[in-house]
Amino acid sequence: MTTAVSDLVTQAIYDRLSGAVEAVEVVMPEQLPSFSPQNNQVVIVPGNSEPVPELSCPGNPPAIAYQRPYVIICVVVQDEEALTSIDSLLAEFSAAVIATMTEATDWHNWGGNAMNSTLGGTERVISDTGSTAEHRVSMVVTYRVSETNPYQRR
Amino acid sequence: MTVFDDLFKTSGFPMLIEQFGESIVYVPLRGEKRPIKAIVDRNPPAPIGLDGSVVLPEITVSVFNSRYTGISSLEINTGGDRIEVSRRQGKQAVSLKIEVLADDSGGVCVIGLL
């Protein structure tokens, strides 16, 4: 089955992070949840694509550029008896994940499927119960496809 | 413990476990995993939260507050203990994280899973 360019990017992110030695598990949400939080887990959450007129090109058919936000959730579950600062663990793990994602010089094009990628801020989230902590790393990926053929990158 | 707690621990909860209990497996962060009986409350799944975040279904299990017949509240470690339980009755068990010890009164531990 042919894969849409937007999904190729998501798959490339998944593949690259799956190779990270620090990550115990890399998951993407499914329609019905199938995973449970665990220490050193990465969750990839793709957002909604928005057109970028200034990067689109006229033609027949025109090439339409899109920006798609991703949230890379770096999950840390700390042993109750451990004394290490949770912020240190979060910083260490999310830094390792970012380093893995951006290791290659052409990391930003995700196997030639995107034009550019930019990393945003990191949000610190502690669950209501306090037993699961996350660093949510934001990233925006810009890609361009044929208006009438989302399988064709332009 | 109150008198009610004592009575519930010795007569009420054993009867409930007898009627509604099912087998689950407790997997502590440290130590051997062990099968126990529990009352499993499966809430409806809510895959996407209002803010767009992913929300996992929460299951609560009620077990004896005992390291011999259930799980002792003293041994629970929310930083890595897990429970193997099926998300739907009859389906294959999955490993879920112990997120919170919601209650440990009356000789019963009520444990929230994610």
Side-chain angles (χ1 to χ4, degrees), chain B residues 33-69:
Chain B
K33 66 179 183 181
R34 59 180 191 260
I36 51 175
K37 283 277 187 183
I39 297 173
V40 181
D41 183 13
R42 297 174 173 87
N43 295 323
I48 306 294
L50 293 176
D51 62 350
S53 62
V54 179
V55 179
L56 299 167
E58 188 179 273
I59 290 177
T60 58
V61 294
S62 302
V63 299
F64 280 109
N65 185 351
S66 158
R67 67 172 65 239
Y68 303 108
T69 55

Side-chain angles (χ1 to χ4, degrees), chain A residues 36-118:
Chain A
S36 170
Q38 63 173 308
N39 191 35
N40 286 3
Q41 179 188 55
V42 178
V43 184
I44 302 167
V45 185
N48 299 323
S49 294
E50 295 286 340
V52 188
E54 57 269 31
L55 293 175
S56 299
C57 300
N60 186 21
I64 309 293
Y66 293 95
Q67 281 188 333
R68 189 179 203 190
Y70 286 83
V71 180
I72 313 296
I73 304 176
C74 306
V75 181
V76 168
V77 176
Q78 187 179 24
D79 185 348
E80 282 185 10
E81 293 169 17
L83 299 174
T84 315
S85 151
I86 189 66
D87 286 299
S88 296
L89 293 175
L90 282 170
E92 188 180 324
F93 184 46
S94 61
V97 169
I98 291 170
T100 300
M101 277 203 307
T102 59
E103 198 171 17
T105 51
D106 61 346
W107 72 271
H108 57 278
N109 67 25
W110 303 107
N113 293 301
M115 299 165 64
N116 197 16
S117 301
T118 50

Side-chain angles (χ1 to χ4, degrees), chain A residues 3-13 70 110 113 151 153:
Chain A
T3 307
V5 172
S6 58
D7 198 39
L8 287 173
V9 171
T10 306
Q11 194 60 48
I13 296 170
Y70 286 83
W110 303 107
N113 293 301
Y151 305 109
R153 54 179 178 259

Side-chain angles (χ1 to χ4, degrees), chain A residues 29-39 43 45 73 77-81 127-132 136, chain B residues 29-30 45 47 51-57 76-80 82 87-88 95-100 114:
Chain A
E30 295 169 357
Q31 187 174 358
L32 288 177
S34 60
F35 60 89
S36 170
Q38 63 173 308
N39 191 35
V43 184
V45 185
I73 304 176
V77 176
Q78 187 179 24
D79 185 348
E80 282 185 10
E81 293 169 17
S127 69
D128 291 342
T129 58
S131 71
T132 306
R136 299 183 174 188
Chain B
L29 180 64
R30 282 181 283 271
D51 62 350
S53 62
V54 179
V55 179
L56 299 167
I76 290 176
N77 185 342
T78 58
R82 303 182 77 84
R87 281 200 166 101
R88 291 184 192 166
S95 172
L96 300 179
K97 176 183 177 292
I98 290 184
E99 183 68 13
V100 64
L114 272 183

